[in-house]
Amino acid sequence: YEEMVDAKRKRNQQKLESFGLLEASHRLRESVVKRLNIKDRGLSSLKQKRKMNVSLPSRKSSRLAGVKAAEFFIESEGAGGKVITSGADGVKFFEDGNEDILPTKESYFKQRVNDGSILSLQDAIEVCDKKWIKDDSASCAKKTIQSLVDICHKKNNAKKSSTSKKMLGAQNLFSAFKSLKSDDETNVAKVVPDRIYSVTFHPTSDKILAVAGDKQGYVGLWDTSKSGSDHHTNGVSLFRPHGRPVASLEWNRGGDRLLSASYDGSVRLFDIHKQEFSEIFATYDDSDEFKNKLGYDLDEGRNFWIQHACIDHVNGDDDCLFISTSAGTVLHVDLRMKKKITFNKYLSEKKINTVSLHPNGQTMVTAGLDRMVQIWDIRKFQTDKRQNSNGKVSKPLSIQHVTKSVNSAFFSPSGRNLLCTTMANTIDIIKDAHLQTSVIKEPTFRIRHDNQTGRWLSTFMAKWHPAFEEEDIFVVGSMIQPRTMEFFDGNK
């Protein structure tokens, strides 16, 4: 019987070899990217010893005993069924029977980290969860920030070359993209504790510095030049300037200030020279204690948050900004000598995901859940007082209707093209959209693209490469397995 089985195996082996299936299987296994072991790279939590379970006394009804019930409530529910309850006396009860006597945590408006005062680098680190803080976290972060300061000084002192933007053409750039891989574990690191909501990169060409904002309000900086070092951080520094998801991040053109906007209704500016996070704008309700705040009476309740913010580069490097909200409003905030809100307009009945300003400084595009891409002339916002009953401006310059919601819409650096990412599984490119004065029936180019990221991945938002003005190049994520990034030429 064994001889018969061996003979059958040999025949099967010969057939597979003759068909070339074994060789194809071997090539396929080699081409598949192996899952990287990165759990100890970048951000890592302190390992805590598990406490022994303590048997709890049997529960008795306080009502039947005629005793007033203790005033405590469920504060949060963690992974593995862990429940933390908090009471008026500041006691936290853990499900394993252990309890910690802690002072009652001071709460701020919209779960913000403080009352709006300046956060130093040390403060922004100390407000993080203790398990992410190491003894040398502050010193490592200061070294990373100091390297950015040196780069900015070098950039300011160096003479600008007329060929600086033509160092790498579009064709050479696409050729370089083909050789990029992330299957080396030194190219991957954990930067923030939770799901990433926003990403940006420092504009310097000397090194790659990635910045990510997550669901809990953390902002992580990753200096990839230190990724291969033996140090436990691998170039990652963690801060917490916000209390809720960080919706957008953007460096100013000089690369010395980082703008961050959050669902907690606050916008902060990180200055690398001062090494501090300052709150430059925040929304508040109509309480008397906030009357002197610039964002007084803008907050509309628990379903209101800042969805997107971007710097108005036309009116200053970081002195003015545009903000879109979940209520369908767009604000222009002027932070110069006389701080003021230039306009606050209802432009949609639903959440506006992104707002983008054309390089001409006059045309703005919005996109969101109302399934429309709308183009506006912001010069009319100061003068047009004719509004309908919903408080909306009467008419945009032009509209593109989409069958499903629009994740994002951005003007290219050259201003020639408008890039829209939709949940209808399309990426639309509209040429000279700022010159349109009617309904845009069809985009100039339409790319079929799977944008169904599901509940665990953040939505795709195709974005332009900021350093190329002659060639409009954009990048977007992909659902293709193994996970890839896709680059496109917007002019073809």
Side-chain angles (χ1 to χ4, degrees):
Y1 175 78
E2 292 179 356
E3 291 178 356
M4 182 183 67
V5 172
D6 291 339
K8 189 174 182 180
R9 287 174 178 171
K10 289 180 180 179
R11 288 197 303 271
N12 292 341
Q13 184 81 1
Q14 291 173 356
K15 286 184 178 181
L16 291 174
E17 289 177 354
S18 63
F19 293 149
L21 295 178
L22 290 179
E23 184 180 354
S25 175
H26 179 70
R27 288 200 306 267
L28 182 62
R29 280 195 295 268
E30 288 184 343
S31 64
V32 173
V33 178
K34 296 181 180 180
R35 186 177 180 86
L36 301 178
N37 184 21
I38 59 168
K39 61 181 181 179
D40 295 328
R41 290 192 54 78
L43 195 63
S44 60
S45 59
L46 293 172
K47 295 181 180 179
Q48 299 178 353
K49 294 182 180 179
R50 297 189 64 180
K51 298 180 180 180
M52 298 294 293
N53 290 336
V54 179
S55 58
L56 296 175
S58 58
R59 298 178 60 187
K60 297 180 181 180
S61 172
S62 299
R63 179 179 60 83
L64 295 178
V67 180
K68 184 179 179 181
E71 296 179 356
F72 65 91
F73 55 90
I74 295 178
E75 180 179 308
S76 63
E77 298 184 28
K82 182 179 179 181
V83 178
I84 303 177
T85 61
S86 181
D89 55 356
V91 180
K92 288 189 176 183
F93 299 88
F94 294 80
E95 66 163 0
D96 58 4
N98 299 307
E99 63 180 44
D100 289 345
I101 309 298
L102 300 173
T104 303
K105 186 178 179 180
E106 189 174 2
S107 60
Y108 300 99
F109 187 76
K110 284 281 188 178
Q111 302 176 18
R112 295 170 189 168
V113 294
N114 65 7
D115 57 358
S117 56
I118 293 175
L119 277 174
S120 66
L121 202 68
Q122 184 71 34
D123 295 336
I125 294 173
E126 291 179 353
V127 78
C128 298
D129 195 316
K130 291 183 179 179
K131 67 180 180 180
W132 305 114
I133 304 175
K134 309 294 192 303
D135 294 337
D136 58 348
S137 293
S139 59
C140 292
K142 288 179 180 179
K143 290 179 181 178
T144 301
I145 302 303
Q146 185 58 46
S147 68
L148 284 181
V149 174
D150 297 338
I151 289 173
C152 290
H153 282 313
K154 179 182 176 182
K155 182 179 178 181
N156 293 333
N157 295 331
K159 293 182 179 180
K160 295 183 178 179
S161 174
S162 59
T163 60
S164 58
K165 291 186 178 180
K166 298 182 180 180
M167 293 176 62
L168 193 64
Q171 295 300 324
N172 295 330
L173 187 65
F174 282 121
S175 299
F177 286 154
K178 293 179 181 179
S179 62
L180 293 177
K181 292 183 179 180
S182 61
D183 52 357
D184 184 355
E185 68 175 19
T186 60
N187 295 334
V188 185
K190 184 179 180 66
V191 181
V192 287
D194 213 326
R195 172 178 170 176
I196 293 177
Y197 271 58
S198 54
V199 175
T200 189
F201 293 87
H202 193 270
T204 181
S205 58
D206 292 3
K207 63 166 69 177
I208 299 176
L209 182 81
V211 187
D214 80 343
K215 184 178 179 180
Q216 299 181 38
Y218 288 94
V219 172
L221 276 71
W222 181 27
D223 185 351
T224 58
S225 64
K226 301 178 181 177
S227 179
S229 64
D230 296 331
H231 196 270
H232 65 85
T233 64
N234 299 114
V236 175
S237 301
L238 185 67
F239 315 97
R240 195 179 188 187
H242 300 282
R244 297 182 65 191
V246 181
S248 59
L249 292 164
E250 182 181 0
W251 286 99
N252 68 343
R253 289 177 177 172
D256 57 351
R257 294 184 183 90
L258 174 67
L259 180 80
S260 61
S262 170
Y263 281 19
D264 64 11
S266 66
V267 180
R268 286 187 178 269
L269 195 67
F270 175 61
D271 190 319
I272 65 172
H273 300 288
K274 298 179 181 178
Q275 297 193 1
E276 60 185 26
F277 293 86
S278 57
E279 185 180 276
I280 58 175
F281 180 77
T283 59
Y284 296 92
D285 58 19
D286 57 356
S287 301
D288 292 338
E289 58 182 309
F290 305 128
K291 273 189 175 181
N292 296 326
K293 301 289 187 180
L294 182 60
Y296 172 72
D297 199 20
L298 290 178
D299 190 272
E300 299 180 10
R302 64 187 300 269
N303 292 325
F304 180 90
W305 62 84
I306 291 178
Q307 179 65 27
H308 184 76
C310 64
I311 297 173
D312 180 3
H313 292 291
V314 176
N315 294 309
D317 197 11
D318 50 30
D319 295 325
C320 300
L321 59 143
F322 290 94
I323 296 172
S324 67
T325 71
S326 60
T329 59
V330 171
L331 299 84
H332 182 267
V333 183
D334 189 342
L335 299 171
R336 287 172 288 193
M337 290 297 292
K338 295 182 179 179
K339 295 183 179 181
K340 63 178 181 178
I341 298 175
T342 311
F343 62 77
N344 178 21
K345 298 291 184 180
Y346 277 92
L347 304 184
S348 172
E349 295 179 356
K350 296 183 178 180
K351 181 180 71 173
I352 296 178
N353 285 328
T354 60
V355 56
S356 177
L357 183 68
H358 191 273
N360 64 15
Q362 303 169 2
T363 311
M364 181 184 72
V365 61
T366 60
L369 298 188
D370 58 1
R371 299 180 297 176
M372 290 188 293
V373 177
Q374 301 185 83
I375 301 173
W376 310 87
D377 186 347
I378 62 174
R379 293 173 296 180
K380 295 182 178 180
F381 287 172
Q382 291 92 3
T383 58
D384 189 359
K385 296 182 180 179
R386 297 173 299 170
Q387 296 184 359
N388 58 24
S389 58
N390 292 329
K392 294 182 185 177
V393 175
S394 55
K395 262 190 176 183
L397 288 176
S398 58
I399 300 176
Q400 182 200 13
H401 293 279
V402 186
T403 56
K404 292 188 178 180
S405 62
V406 186
N407 294 346
S408 62
F410 299 109
F411 283 114
S412 64
S414 66
R416 290 191 299 264
N417 296 311
L418 175 63
L419 179 65
C420 309
T421 310
T422 76
M423 290 304 292
N425 288 335
T426 63
I427 296 176
D428 295 343
I429 302 172
I430 305 172
K431 189 174 182 180
D432 294 328
H434 62 292
L435 302 178
Q436 303 287 339
T437 57
S438 60
V439 176
I440 302 173
K441 296 182 179 180
E442 293 292 336
T444 309
F445 303 107
R446 172 162 285 172
I447 303 170
R448 297 295 302 175
H449 192 271
D450 184 4
N451 295 326
Q452 306 302 318
T453 53
R455 64 179 296 187
W456 303 115
L457 296 177
S458 298
T459 55
F460 288 153
M461 292 185 178
K463 298 200 73 173
W464 299 104
H465 195 300
F468 288 85
E469 294 185 4
E470 297 300 325
E471 301 100 348
D472 287 340
I473 298 171
F474 66 90
V475 61
V476 65
S478 174
M479 295 300 294
I480 298 174
Q481 293 282 6
R483 292 286 185 255
T484 58
M485 301 292 292
E486 296 179 328
F487 297 85
F488 295 88
D489 188 342
N491 295 318
K492 297 181 180 179

